[in-house]
Amino acid sequence: KSMTAGTAMSASFCKAVLAKEKLIAEPALAAMWDNGCGAVGQITIRAIKLKDGGEVALRPSALIRCETAELFADWVREELVPATAAYSGIARIDVAASYHCRPRNNVRGARMSEHGRANAIDVRAIVMKNGRRFGVDIPDTPLQLLASMRRSACEYFTTVLGPGSDGYHEDHVHVDYAQRRGGDRLCRWKLPLPPPPRQHPLR
């Protein structure tokens, strides 16, 4: 089949994104299916390049659209790196899901998930340089770090789903770049309550 104008534009955009050297990634073939799954302009990301020359690995690699990939890279570079500096710095992101042809939350008959459009990525945990692992269901994750991640994610992405959102995101955070009418955004991620203050014994 001949390349459509949309595919050509996506390929050009992807080339421009990769030229910015924010990502260690390879172009992926466009894949569009009759059921609405797939996307043009996809890349497979192995790591995100940092300004200081370091890298944040993605495990496993993530297959997403170039536009969403650049947004994710910017979030990591501009927000997660400074937010994790006090904890030795971020070294790796454990990915729960990226492209996957399926309905929302794997519920039969539901609308197509943004995962099915290669427009979403799920973060299972972030791993520090000293080996510590933080995540929404890991008890010793600092509340301050979670709060920072929530704030910045909801600024960058049009959809953020975490614990307390719908029962399907209790052990990871879903972010995507869905385009809605009127530019509506969705931020549903309930942070854990801070521990109660320590009670001093009466004298």
mmCIF file of all heavy atoms in Angstrom, residues 26-79:
data_model
loop_
_atom_site.group_PDB
_atom_site.id
_atom_site.type_symbol
_atom_site.label_atom_id
_atom_site.label_comp_id
_atom_site.label_asym_id
_atom_site.label_seq_id
_atom_site.Cartn_x
_atom_site.Cartn_y
_atom_site.Cartn_z
ATOM 1 N N GLU A 26 13.876 3.062 18.739
ATOM 2 C CA GLU A 26 13.902 2.671 17.341
ATOM 3 C C GLU A 26 12.507 2.857 16.756
ATOM 4 O O GLU A 26 11.513 2.582 17.434
ATOM 5 C CB GLU A 26 14.304 1.200 17.180
ATOM 6 C CG GLU A 26 15.720 0.880 17.594
ATOM 7 C CD GLU A 26 15.860 0.675 19.087
ATOM 8 O OE1 GLU A 26 14.921 0.137 19.693
ATOM 9 O OE2 GLU A 26 16.892 1.078 19.647
ATOM 10 N N PRO A 27 12.425 3.330 15.516
ATOM 11 C CA PRO A 27 11.113 3.442 14.870
ATOM 12 C C PRO A 27 10.450 2.070 14.769
ATOM 13 O O PRO A 27 11.115 1.049 14.595
ATOM 14 C CB PRO A 27 11.450 3.991 13.484
ATOM 15 C CG PRO A 27 12.810 4.604 13.612
ATOM 16 C CD PRO A 27 13.522 3.791 14.644
ATOM 17 N N ALA A 28 9.131 2.076 14.930
ATOM 18 C CA ALA A 28 8.362 0.835 14.788
ATOM 19 C C ALA A 28 7.417 0.992 13.601
ATOM 20 O O ALA A 28 7.002 2.105 13.263
ATOM 21 C CB ALA A 28 7.563 0.553 16.062
ATOM 22 N N LEU A 29 7.088 -0.109 12.972
ATOM 23 C CA LEU A 29 6.204 -0.060 11.807
ATOM 24 C C LEU A 29 4.813 0.407 12.218
ATOM 25 O O LEU A 29 4.320 0.083 13.299
ATOM 26 C CB LEU A 29 6.108 -1.448 11.162
ATOM 27 C CG LEU A 29 7.390 -1.996 10.522
ATOM 28 C CD1 LEU A 29 7.161 -3.410 10.032
ATOM 29 C CD2 LEU A 29 7.838 -1.097 9.373
ATOM 30 N N ALA A 30 4.199 1.197 11.336
ATOM 31 C CA ALA A 30 2.813 1.598 11.571
ATOM 32 C C ALA A 30 1.937 0.353 11.532
ATOM 33 O O ALA A 30 2.167 -0.566 10.754
ATOM 34 C CB ALA A 30 2.371 2.592 10.498
ATOM 35 N N ALA A 31 0.943 0.324 12.404
ATOM 36 C CA ALA A 31 0.041 -0.835 12.458
ATOM 37 C C ALA A 31 -1.361 -0.338 12.760
ATOM 38 O O ALA A 31 -1.635 0.131 13.855
ATOM 39 C CB ALA A 31 0.499 -1.815 13.538
ATOM 40 N N MET A 32 -2.233 -0.401 11.764
ATOM 41 C CA MET A 32 -3.623 0.007 11.949
ATOM 42 C C MET A 32 -4.526 -1.171 11.632
ATOM 43 O O MET A 32 -4.390 -1.806 10.587
ATOM 44 C CB MET A 32 -3.956 1.185 11.025
ATOM 45 C CG MET A 32 -3.165 2.457 11.340
ATOM 46 S SD MET A 32 -3.542 3.161 12.965
ATOM 47 C CE MET A 32 -5.223 3.705 12.695
ATOM 48 N N TRP A 33 -5.447 -1.476 12.547
ATOM 49 C CA TRP A 33 -6.319 -2.623 12.391
ATOM 50 C C TRP A 33 -7.778 -2.176 12.248
ATOM 51 O O TRP A 33 -8.149 -1.088 12.686
ATOM 52 C CB TRP A 33 -6.179 -3.569 13.588
ATOM 53 C CG TRP A 33 -4.752 -3.918 13.876
ATOM 54 C CD1 TRP A 33 -3.953 -3.399 14.841
ATOM 55 C CD2 TRP A 33 -3.939 -4.855 13.154
ATOM 56 N NE1 TRP A 33 -2.695 -3.943 14.788
ATOM 57 C CE2 TRP A 33 -2.654 -4.844 13.770
ATOM 58 C CE3 TRP A 33 -4.159 -5.693 12.071
ATOM 59 C CZ2 TRP A 33 -1.609 -5.641 13.313
ATOM 60 C CZ3 TRP A 33 -3.111 -6.496 11.621
ATOM 61 C CH2 TRP A 33 -1.872 -6.466 12.238
ATOM 62 N N ASP A 34 -8.589 -3.044 11.677
ATOM 63 C CA ASP A 34 -9.995 -2.706 11.432
ATOM 64 C C ASP A 34 -10.768 -2.438 12.719
ATOM 65 O O ASP A 34 -11.792 -1.769 12.705
ATOM 66 C CB ASP A 34 -10.687 -3.843 10.653
ATOM 67 C CG ASP A 34 -10.156 -3.967 9.233
ATOM 68 O OD1 ASP A 34 -9.572 -2.975 8.751
ATOM 69 O OD2 ASP A 34 -10.324 -5.040 8.627
ATOM 70 N N ASN A 35 -10.288 -2.985 13.836
ATOM 71 C CA ASN A 35 -11.009 -2.799 15.103
ATOM 72 C C ASN A 35 -10.633 -1.499 15.818
ATOM 73 O O ASN A 35 -11.083 -1.245 16.930
ATOM 74 C CB ASN A 35 -10.763 -3.987 16.031
ATOM 75 C CG ASN A 35 -9.296 -4.146 16.423
ATOM 76 O OD1 ASN A 35 -8.445 -3.360 16.002
ATOM 77 N ND2 ASN A 35 -8.996 -5.146 17.226
ATOM 78 N N GLY A 36 -9.803 -0.683 15.189
ATOM 79 C CA GLY A 36 -9.436 0.595 15.789
ATOM 80 C C GLY A 36 -8.115 0.576 16.519
ATOM 81 O O GLY A 36 -7.632 1.619 16.965
ATOM 82 N N CYS A 37 -7.506 -0.587 16.656
ATOM 83 C CA CYS A 37 -6.216 -0.677 17.331
ATOM 84 C C CYS A 37 -5.098 -0.164 16.441
ATOM 85 O O CYS A 37 -5.209 -0.156 15.220
ATOM 86 C CB CYS A 37 -5.903 -2.126 17.716
ATOM 87 S SG CYS A 37 -6.599 -2.620 19.301
ATOM 88 N N GLY A 38 -4.020 0.215 17.089
ATOM 89 C CA GLY A 38 -2.813 0.569 16.363
ATOM 90 C C GLY A 38 -2.638 2.062 16.170
ATOM 91 O O GLY A 38 -3.492 2.863 16.538
ATOM 92 N N ALA A 39 -1.514 2.424 15.605
ATOM 93 C CA ALA A 39 -1.188 3.824 15.376
ATOM 94 C C ALA A 39 -0.090 3.922 14.335
ATOM 95 O O ALA A 39 0.618 2.950 14.068
ATOM 96 C CB ALA A 39 -0.731 4.480 16.679
ATOM 97 N N VAL A 40 0.025 5.097 13.749
ATOM 98 C CA VAL A 40 1.180 5.392 12.901
ATOM 99 C C VAL A 40 2.120 6.256 13.729
ATOM 100 O O VAL A 40 1.709 6.903 14.691
ATOM 101 C CB VAL A 40 0.753 6.114 11.603
ATOM 102 C CG1 VAL A 40 -0.097 5.208 10.747
ATOM 103 C CG2 VAL A 40 0.003 7.404 11.928
ATOM 104 N N GLY A 41 3.374 6.245 13.365
ATOM 105 C CA GLY A 41 4.336 7.057 14.101
ATOM 106 C C GLY A 41 4.640 6.500 15.472
ATOM 107 O O GLY A 41 4.634 7.218 16.467
ATOM 108 N N GLN A 42 4.910 5.208 15.538
ATOM 109 C CA GLN A 42 5.245 4.570 16.816
ATOM 110 C C GLN A 42 6.756 4.372 16.928
ATOM 111 O O GLN A 42 7.443 4.241 15.918
ATOM 112 C CB GLN A 42 4.580 3.193 16.910
ATOM 113 C CG GLN A 42 3.085 3.203 16.744
ATOM 114 C CD GLN A 42 2.516 1.794 16.733
ATOM 115 O OE1 GLN A 42 1.739 1.443 17.584
ATOM 116 N NE2 GLN A 42 2.908 0.973 15.787
ATOM 117 N N ILE A 43 7.233 4.333 18.168
ATOM 118 C CA ILE A 43 8.633 3.994 18.414
ATOM 119 C C ILE A 43 8.711 3.073 19.627
ATOM 120 O O ILE A 43 7.819 3.076 20.480
ATOM 121 C CB ILE A 43 9.521 5.239 18.651
ATOM 122 C CG1 ILE A 43 8.943 6.110 19.774
ATOM 123 C CG2 ILE A 43 9.718 6.029 17.380
ATOM 124 C CD1 ILE A 43 9.831 7.297 20.130
ATOM 125 N N THR A 44 9.770 2.304 19.675
ATOM 126 C CA THR A 44 10.042 1.449 20.832
ATOM 127 C C THR A 44 11.138 2.104 21.648
ATOM 128 O O THR A 44 12.264 2.281 21.172
ATOM 129 C CB THR A 44 10.482 0.048 20.378
ATOM 130 O OG1 THR A 44 9.443 -0.539 19.575
ATOM 131 C CG2 THR A 44 10.745 -0.839 21.581
ATOM 132 N N ILE A 45 10.803 2.485 22.884
ATOM 133 C CA ILE A 45 11.747 3.214 23.741
ATOM 134 C C ILE A 45 12.447 2.248 24.687
ATOM 135 O O ILE A 45 11.794 1.504 25.419
ATOM 136 C CB ILE A 45 11.023 4.270 24.597
ATOM 137 C CG1 ILE A 45 10.107 5.127 23.748
ATOM 138 C CG2 ILE A 45 12.028 5.144 25.331
ATOM 139 C CD1 ILE A 45 9.189 5.992 24.584
ATOM 140 N N ARG A 46 13.771 2.295 24.694
ATOM 141 C CA ARG A 46 14.562 1.494 25.634
ATOM 142 C C ARG A 46 15.032 2.309 26.827
ATOM 143 O O ARG A 46 15.243 1.777 27.905
ATOM 144 C CB ARG A 46 15.759 0.874 24.912
ATOM 145 C CG ARG A 46 15.383 -0.193 23.896
ATOM 146 C CD ARG A 46 16.603 -0.878 23.334
ATOM 147 N NE ARG A 46 17.334 -0.016 22.400
ATOM 148 C CZ ARG A 46 18.525 0.519 22.632
ATOM 149 N NH1 ARG A 46 19.129 0.291 23.797
ATOM 150 N NH2 ARG A 46 19.117 1.278 21.741
ATOM 151 N N ALA A 47 15.207 3.615 26.621
ATOM 152 C CA ALA A 47 15.682 4.475 27.705
ATOM 153 C C ALA A 47 15.421 5.926 27.353
ATOM 154 O O ALA A 47 15.155 6.278 26.198
ATOM 155 C CB ALA A 47 17.170 4.251 27.956
ATOM 156 N N ILE A 48 15.504 6.768 28.366
ATOM 157 C CA ILE A 48 15.371 8.206 28.197
ATOM 158 C C ILE A 48 16.723 8.846 28.504
ATOM 159 O O ILE A 48 17.339 8.535 29.534
ATOM 160 C CB ILE A 48 14.270 8.756 29.116
ATOM 161 C CG1 ILE A 48 12.915 8.223 28.636
ATOM 162 C CG2 ILE A 48 14.275 10.283 29.139
ATOM 163 C CD1 ILE A 48 11.819 8.378 29.626
ATOM 164 N N LYS A 49 17.181 9.686 27.598
ATOM 165 C CA LYS A 49 18.463 10.372 27.784
ATOM 166 C C LYS A 49 18.270 11.596 28.669
ATOM 167 O O LYS A 49 17.329 12.366 28.473
ATOM 168 C CB LYS A 49 19.038 10.799 26.433
ATOM 169 C CG LYS A 49 19.637 9.685 25.605
ATOM 170 C CD LYS A 49 20.324 10.282 24.385
ATOM 171 C CE LYS A 49 21.017 9.219 23.554
ATOM 172 N NZ LYS A 49 21.713 9.817 22.385
ATOM 173 N N LEU A 50 19.166 11.779 29.603
ATOM 174 C CA LEU A 50 19.093 12.921 30.503
ATOM 175 C C LEU A 50 20.039 14.030 30.057
ATOM 176 O O LEU A 50 20.960 13.802 29.269
ATOM 177 C CB LEU A 50 19.424 12.479 31.928
ATOM 178 C CG LEU A 50 18.555 11.340 32.481
ATOM 179 C CD1 LEU A 50 18.956 11.031 33.912
ATOM 180 C CD2 LEU A 50 17.075 11.687 32.396
ATOM 181 N N LYS A 51 19.814 15.218 30.589
ATOM 182 C CA LYS A 51 20.604 16.378 30.185
ATOM 183 C C LYS A 51 22.074 16.225 30.543
ATOM 184 O O LYS A 51 22.952 16.784 29.882
ATOM 185 C CB LYS A 51 20.035 17.637 30.831
ATOM 186 C CG LYS A 51 18.614 17.963 30.387
ATOM 187 C CD LYS A 51 18.067 19.148 31.153
ATOM 188 C CE LYS A 51 16.629 19.434 30.782
ATOM 189 N NZ LYS A 51 16.070 20.579 31.556
ATOM 190 N N ASP A 52 22.364 15.469 31.620
ATOM 191 C CA ASP A 52 23.755 15.309 32.056
ATOM 192 C C ASP A 52 24.459 14.149 31.355
ATOM 193 O O ASP A 52 25.580 13.790 31.717
ATOM 194 C CB ASP A 52 23.808 15.112 33.575
ATOM 195 C CG ASP A 52 23.124 13.825 34.032
ATOM 196 O OD1 ASP A 52 22.606 13.069 33.182
ATOM 197 O OD2 ASP A 52 23.095 13.577 35.251
ATOM 198 N N GLY A 53 23.781 13.554 30.381
ATOM 199 C CA GLY A 53 24.381 12.442 29.650
ATOM 200 C C GLY A 53 23.998 11.078 30.193
ATOM 201 O O GLY A 53 24.316 10.057 29.581
ATOM 202 N N GLY A 54 23.344 11.044 31.343
ATOM 203 C CA GLY A 54 22.889 9.777 31.911
ATOM 204 C C GLY A 54 21.658 9.240 31.199
ATOM 205 O O GLY A 54 21.157 9.855 30.252
ATOM 206 N N GLU A 55 21.192 8.104 31.678
ATOM 207 C CA GLU A 55 20.016 7.475 31.077
ATOM 208 C C GLU A 55 19.094 6.935 32.163
ATOM 209 O O GLU A 55 19.548 6.593 33.255
ATOM 210 C CB GLU A 55 20.429 6.301 30.178
ATOM 211 C CG GLU A 55 21.289 6.677 28.989
ATOM 212 C CD GLU A 55 21.735 5.452 28.204
ATOM 213 O OE1 GLU A 55 21.273 4.326 28.536
ATOM 214 O OE2 GLU A 55 22.549 5.607 27.273
ATOM 215 N N VAL A 56 17.810 6.900 31.857
ATOM 216 C CA VAL A 56 16.823 6.210 32.676
ATOM 217 C C VAL A 56 16.258 5.083 31.821
ATOM 218 O O VAL A 56 15.600 5.334 30.809
ATOM 219 C CB VAL A 56 15.696 7.157 33.138
ATOM 220 C CG1 VAL A 56 14.612 6.365 33.870
ATOM 221 C CG2 VAL A 56 16.238 8.256 34.044
ATOM 222 N N ALA A 57 16.550 3.856 32.197
ATOM 223 C CA ALA A 57 16.111 2.705 31.415
ATOM 224 C C ALA A 57 14.628 2.444 31.601
ATOM 225 O O ALA A 57 14.058 2.731 32.662
ATOM 226 C CB ALA A 57 16.907 1.469 31.818
ATOM 227 N N LEU A 58 13.984 1.906 30.572
ATOM 228 C CA LEU A 58 12.607 1.434 30.669
ATOM 229 C C LEU A 58 12.643 -0.083 30.588
ATOM 230 O O LEU A 58 13.232 -0.644 29.659
ATOM 231 C CB LEU A 58 11.741 1.995 29.544
ATOM 232 C CG LEU A 58 11.028 3.324 29.817
ATOM 233 C CD1 LEU A 58 12.050 4.422 30.063
ATOM 234 C CD2 LEU A 58 10.104 3.688 28.674
ATOM 235 N N ARG A 59 12.029 -0.736 31.561
ATOM 236 C CA ARG A 59 12.021 -2.199 31.576
ATOM 237 C C ARG A 59 10.601 -2.712 31.779
ATOM 238 O O ARG A 59 10.014 -2.447 32.816
ATOM 239 C CB ARG A 59 12.924 -2.717 32.695
ATOM 240 C CG ARG A 59 13.040 -4.252 32.699
ATOM 241 C CD ARG A 59 13.859 -4.755 33.859
ATOM 242 N NE ARG A 59 15.251 -4.310 33.786
ATOM 243 C CZ ARG A 59 16.145 -4.534 34.742
ATOM 244 N NH1 ARG A 59 15.778 -5.182 35.852
ATOM 245 N NH2 ARG A 59 17.378 -4.112 34.630
ATOM 246 N N PRO A 60 10.014 -3.428 30.838
ATOM 247 C CA PRO A 60 10.549 -3.667 29.494
ATOM 248 C C PRO A 60 10.436 -2.414 28.632
ATOM 249 O O PRO A 60 9.871 -1.405 29.064
ATOM 250 C CB PRO A 60 9.645 -4.787 28.971
ATOM 251 C CG PRO A 60 8.336 -4.541 29.645
ATOM 252 C CD PRO A 60 8.682 -4.050 31.028
ATOM 253 N N SER A 61 10.958 -2.505 27.414
ATOM 254 C CA SER A 61 10.841 -1.389 26.481
ATOM 255 C C SER A 61 9.367 -1.071 26.246
ATOM 256 O O SER A 61 8.502 -1.945 26.369
ATOM 257 C CB SER A 61 11.508 -1.736 25.148
ATOM 258 O OG SER A 61 12.884 -1.988 25.345
ATOM 259 N N ALA A 62 9.096 0.189 25.890
ATOM 260 C CA ALA A 62 7.713 0.635 25.697
ATOM 261 C C ALA A 62 7.475 1.005 24.239
ATOM 262 O O ALA A 62 8.299 1.682 23.622
ATOM 263 C CB ALA A 62 7.407 1.818 26.597
ATOM 264 N N LEU A 63 6.348 0.553 23.697
ATOM 265 C CA LEU A 63 5.953 0.891 22.330
ATOM 266 C C LEU A 63 4.825 1.914 22.405
ATOM 267 O O LEU A 63 3.717 1.595 22.844
ATOM 268 C CB LEU A 63 5.491 -0.370 21.589
ATOM 269 C CG LEU A 63 4.914 -0.176 20.181
ATOM 270 C CD1 LEU A 63 5.945 0.441 19.248
ATOM 271 C CD2 LEU A 63 4.405 -1.500 19.612
ATOM 272 N N ILE A 64 5.108 3.164 22.023
ATOM 273 C CA ILE A 64 4.103 4.221 22.055
ATOM 274 C C ILE A 64 4.322 5.201 20.904
ATOM 275 O O ILE A 64 5.372 5.202 20.263
ATOM 276 C CB ILE A 64 4.095 4.998 23.394
ATOM 277 C CG1 ILE A 64 5.490 5.439 23.805
ATOM 278 C CG2 ILE A 64 3.455 4.208 24.495
ATOM 279 C CD1 ILE A 64 5.526 6.252 25.093
ATOM 280 N N ARG A 65 3.318 6.031 20.662
ATOM 281 C CA ARG A 65 3.392 7.061 19.628
ATOM 282 C C ARG A 65 4.486 8.070 19.966
ATOM 283 O O ARG A 65 4.769 8.341 21.133
ATOM 284 C CB ARG A 65 2.058 7.811 19.507
ATOM 285 C CG ARG A 65 0.903 6.997 19.023
ATOM 286 C CD ARG A 65 -0.417 7.764 19.162
ATOM 287 N NE ARG A 65 -0.365 9.047 18.488
ATOM 288 C CZ ARG A 65 -0.480 10.233 19.104
ATOM 289 N NH1 ARG A 65 -0.605 10.288 20.424
ATOM 290 N NH2 ARG A 65 -0.455 11.355 18.423
ATOM 291 N N CYS A 66 5.068 8.651 18.932
ATOM 292 C CA CYS A 66 6.181 9.590 19.136
ATOM 293 C C CYS A 66 5.763 10.796 19.965
ATOM 294 O O CYS A 66 6.532 11.269 20.802
ATOM 295 C CB CYS A 66 6.715 10.054 17.786
ATOM 296 S SG CYS A 66 7.644 8.775 16.938
ATOM 297 N N GLU A 67 4.571 11.322 19.733
ATOM 298 C CA GLU A 67 4.117 12.504 20.466
ATOM 299 C C GLU A 67 4.021 12.202 21.960
ATOM 300 O O GLU A 67 4.470 12.976 22.805
ATOM 301 C CB GLU A 67 2.756 12.954 19.920
ATOM 302 C CG GLU A 67 2.311 14.303 20.438
ATOM 303 C CD GLU A 67 1.045 14.785 19.759
ATOM 304 O OE1 GLU A 67 0.402 14.004 19.027
ATOM 305 O OE2 GLU A 67 0.689 15.961 19.966
ATOM 306 N N THR A 68 3.442 11.044 22.280
ATOM 307 C CA THR A 68 3.311 10.630 23.677
ATOM 308 C C THR A 68 4.682 10.297 24.267
ATOM 309 O O THR A 68 4.951 10.591 25.438
ATOM 310 C CB THR A 68 2.375 9.414 23.780
ATOM 311 O OG1 THR A 68 1.169 9.684 23.044
ATOM 312 C CG2 THR A 68 2.016 9.110 25.223
ATOM 313 N N ALA A 69 5.536 9.703 23.462
ATOM 314 C CA ALA A 69 6.881 9.350 23.920
ATOM 315 C C ALA A 69 7.680 10.589 24.301
ATOM 316 O O ALA A 69 8.368 10.610 25.333
ATOM 317 C CB ALA A 69 7.616 8.582 22.824
ATOM 318 N N GLU A 70 7.586 11.643 23.499
ATOM 319 C CA GLU A 70 8.318 12.870 23.814
ATOM 320 C C GLU A 70 7.779 13.513 25.093
ATOM 321 O O GLU A 70 8.545 14.001 25.931
ATOM 322 C CB GLU A 70 8.246 13.862 22.662
ATOM 323 C CG GLU A 70 9.064 15.115 22.943
ATOM 324 C CD GLU A 70 9.109 16.085 21.786
ATOM 325 O OE1 GLU A 70 8.221 16.035 20.908
ATOM 326 O OE2 GLU A 70 10.034 16.924 21.767
ATOM 327 N N LEU A 71 6.457 13.488 25.252
ATOM 328 C CA LEU A 71 5.847 14.034 26.459
ATOM 329 C C LEU A 71 6.319 13.261 27.689
ATOM 330 O O LEU A 71 6.657 13.851 28.725
ATOM 331 C CB LEU A 71 4.324 13.959 26.339
ATOM 332 C CG LEU A 71 3.509 14.681 27.406
ATOM 333 C CD1 LEU A 71 3.691 16.180 27.308
ATOM 334 C CD2 LEU A 71 2.028 14.316 27.278
ATOM 335 N N PHE A 72 6.367 11.941 27.577
ATOM 336 C CA PHE A 72 6.827 11.101 28.683
ATOM 337 C C PHE A 72 8.288 11.392 29.010
ATOM 338 O O PHE A 72 8.673 11.514 30.182
ATOM 339 C CB PHE A 72 6.640 9.620 28.325
ATOM 340 C CG PHE A 72 6.894 8.678 29.467
ATOM 341 C CD1 PHE A 72 5.955 8.510 30.470
ATOM 342 C CD2 PHE A 72 8.079 7.955 29.537
ATOM 343 C CE1 PHE A 72 6.190 7.646 31.533
ATOM 344 C CE2 PHE A 72 8.320 7.089 30.595
ATOM 345 C CZ PHE A 72 7.365 6.931 31.590
ATOM 346 N N ALA A 73 9.103 11.547 27.964
ATOM 347 C CA ALA A 73 10.525 11.857 28.173
ATOM 348 C C ALA A 73 10.690 13.199 28.877
ATOM 349 O O ALA A 73 11.509 13.340 29.794
ATOM 350 C CB ALA A 73 11.262 11.865 26.834
ATOM 351 N N ASP A 74 9.903 14.188 28.468
ATOM 352 C CA ASP A 74 9.981 15.505 29.101
ATOM 353 C C ASP A 74 9.586 15.427 30.576
ATOM 354 O O ASP A 74 10.197 16.080 31.429
ATOM 355 C CB ASP A 74 9.078 16.497 28.368
ATOM 356 C CG ASP A 74 9.635 16.905 27.017
ATOM 357 O OD1 ASP A 74 10.843 16.719 26.780
ATOM 358 O OD2 ASP A 74 8.842 17.408 26.185
ATOM 359 N N TRP A 75 8.559 14.626 30.866
ATOM 360 C CA TRP A 75 8.119 14.453 32.263
ATOM 361 C C TRP A 75 9.236 13.851 33.107
ATOM 362 O O TRP A 75 9.520 14.319 34.208
ATOM 363 C CB TRP A 75 6.871 13.579 32.300
ATOM 364 C CG TRP A 75 6.330 13.322 33.666
ATOM 365 C CD1 TRP A 75 5.962 14.258 34.606
ATOM 366 C CD2 TRP A 75 6.065 12.050 34.269
ATOM 367 N NE1 TRP A 75 5.484 13.649 35.743
ATOM 368 C CE2 TRP A 75 5.542 12.291 35.565
ATOM 369 C CE3 TRP A 75 6.201 10.732 33.832
ATOM 370 C CZ2 TRP A 75 5.167 11.263 36.432
ATOM 371 C CZ3 TRP A 75 5.827 9.703 34.679
ATOM 372 C CH2 TRP A 75 5.324 9.970 35.972
ATOM 373 N N VAL A 76 9.882 12.834 32.576
ATOM 374 C CA VAL A 76 10.975 12.189 33.313
ATOM 375 C C VAL A 76 12.135 13.163 33.505
ATOM 376 O O VAL A 76 12.658 13.328 34.621
ATOM 377 C CB VAL A 76 11.450 10.915 32.585
ATOM 378 C CG1 VAL A 76 12.702 10.349 33.248
ATOM 379 C CG2 VAL A 76 10.340 9.862 32.574
ATOM 380 N N ARG A 77 12.538 13.828 32.435
ATOM 381 C CA ARG A 77 13.701 14.713 32.472
ATOM 382 C C ARG A 77 13.472 15.947 33.354
ATOM 383 O O ARG A 77 14.350 16.340 34.122
ATOM 384 C CB ARG A 77 14.058 15.155 31.049
ATOM 385 C CG ARG A 77 14.666 14.057 30.181
ATOM 386 C CD ARG A 77 14.514 14.366 28.695
ATOM 387 N NE ARG A 77 15.081 15.636 28.312
ATOM 388 C CZ ARG A 77 16.271 15.808 27.741
ATOM 389 N NH1 ARG A 77 17.054 14.749 27.509
ATOM 390 N NH2 ARG A 77 16.697 16.999 27.376
ATOM 391 N N GLU A 78 12.289 16.552 33.217
ATOM 392 C CA GLU A 78 12.023 17.825 33.889
ATOM 393 C C GLU A 78 11.433 17.665 35.291
ATOM 394 O O GLU A 78 11.556 18.570 36.116
ATOM 395 C CB GLU A 78 11.076 18.681 33.029
ATOM 396 C CG GLU A 78 11.558 18.955 31.624
ATOM 397 C CD GLU A 78 12.829 19.785 31.588
ATOM 398 O OE1 GLU A 78 13.078 20.538 32.552
ATOM 399 O OE2 GLU A 78 13.574 19.682 30.596
ATOM 400 N N GLU A 79 10.796 16.536 35.557
ATOM 401 C CA GLU A 79 10.078 16.381 36.820
ATOM 402 C C GLU A 79 10.603 15.230 37.696
ATOM 403 O O GLU A 79 10.917 15.426 38.869
ATOM 404 C CB GLU A 79 8.572 16.173 36.550
ATOM 405 C CG GLU A 79 7.923 17.294 35.753
ATOM 406 C CD GLU A 79 7.848 18.619 36.494
ATOM 407 O OE1 GLU A 79 7.956 18.623 37.733
ATOM 408 O OE2 GLU A 79 7.674 19.666 35.829
#
